[in-house]
Amino acid sequence: MDMRLFEYALEIYKTKSFTKAASHLHIAQPSLSKQIAKLEQELGVYLFDRKPGSIEPTPDGLCFVKQAEKILQMRDDLRREILERKEGIRGELKIGSTAITGGHVLPPLFRIYNEQFPNVCIQLIEESTERLIDLTARGLVDISILSLPIEDSRLNTKTMLTEPLYLVLPKEPKQWMPEKLKQIMSSTKLIKQNAFPIEDFANCPFILLKQGYGFRRTVLELCARGRFEPQIAYETSSIETAQSLVGHGLGLTVVPEMIVHRSAYQTSLAYIKLDSNPTRTLVFTYNKKRYLSMNAKALIEIYEKQS
């Protein structure tokens, strides 16, 4: 069976259109239809239900495209491994990260990587946690940097670092703050000396990341351990935006330590310790059944040497 037929069927499945699939594959639409018809005749089943304005896989077709995707991935992995054995570290590295983490962890890592492996083109893919888990599991990203927990059974993880979490408040007392906190906020010394239980802030407005970001789940679980559900005032996809909203007195948020040390908002914000000493753990994440390229392994090794 010609490997191209797997590619053809998979593209039709993805686009749900013979016309779009033909365009993406750079072949004529009648030719694509003829090839799929021959494949269906060979298999003795229909792969797609052809309805006006809609192309859907049959149960047999769904089984076929799932297996075809695995076969194509195995082909690509084999091709990449053989080329790497012959040519060494070169080509492309696709690395996924949320903007929150990537902006702080990756720049120094990329600088060293580029110096050591100038023949590798790094493609940075910034998406939500949910999206990156899906892309990594499907082999569309070589490796991603995400925070635990990772619950997708298709993925392996390798620990990078564990860091503390801090509560972020405006330095000026606000009406929504607990009275005890308002008194302490008047003294920078007292702020540094005190660690607060998260439940003290149960009635405060929270600023969280949007659905799909792993750090949102981390904060919600932190609040759950304090036996309350946070009152969400604003949602954003950016930690920087969250901190800016806090700086304007619109609520509080939670950030990892790496944000504290590099924040541009330190003059207007107070970073508060929590008495439960919460943390988050970052990991390298990759598909356990796909070939982990030399390019990706080199990135992990560079990080470990610098840690």
Side-chain angles (χ1 to χ4, degrees), residues 27 75 78 185:
I27 61 176
R75 178 202 65 182
L78 177 60
M185 293 297 290

Side-chain angles (χ1 to χ4, degrees), residues 9 59 72 83 105 184 215 240 247 251-252 262 271 276 281:
L72 291 172
L83 284 173
V105 172
I184 292 175
F215 196 70
E240 298 303 313
L252 58 81
R262 301 179 186 181
Y271 295 90
S276 59
T281 298

Side-chain angles (χ1 to χ4, degrees), residues 80-109:
R80 186 169 188 176
E81 183 173 1
I82 294 301
L83 284 173
E84 286 186 347
R85 290 168 66 90
K86 175 185 175 183
E87 300 177 355
I89 297 178
R90 59 187 304 116
E92 186 178 64
L93 171 62
K94 293 181 180 179
I95 180 165
S97 175
T98 62
I100 308 161
T101 299
H104 293 81
V105 172
L106 292 177
L109 193 56

Side-chain angles (χ1 to χ4, degrees), residues 244-290:
S244 180
L245 291 167
V246 173
H248 284 82
L250 298 172
L252 58 81
T253 194
V254 178
V255 299
E257 186 177 47
M258 65 174 62
I259 301 293
V260 176
H261 294 322
R262 301 179 186 181
S263 175
Y265 299 95
Q266 290 194 11
T267 56
S268 61
L269 300 177
Y271 295 90
I272 308 295
K273 293 181 181 179
L274 294 165
D275 65 357
S276 59
N277 298 313
T279 62
R280 76 155 177 174
T281 298
L282 291 179
V283 294
F284 289 109
T285 308
Y286 50 92
N287 186 308
K288 65 174 63 173
K289 293 186 178 180
R290 297 293 305 270

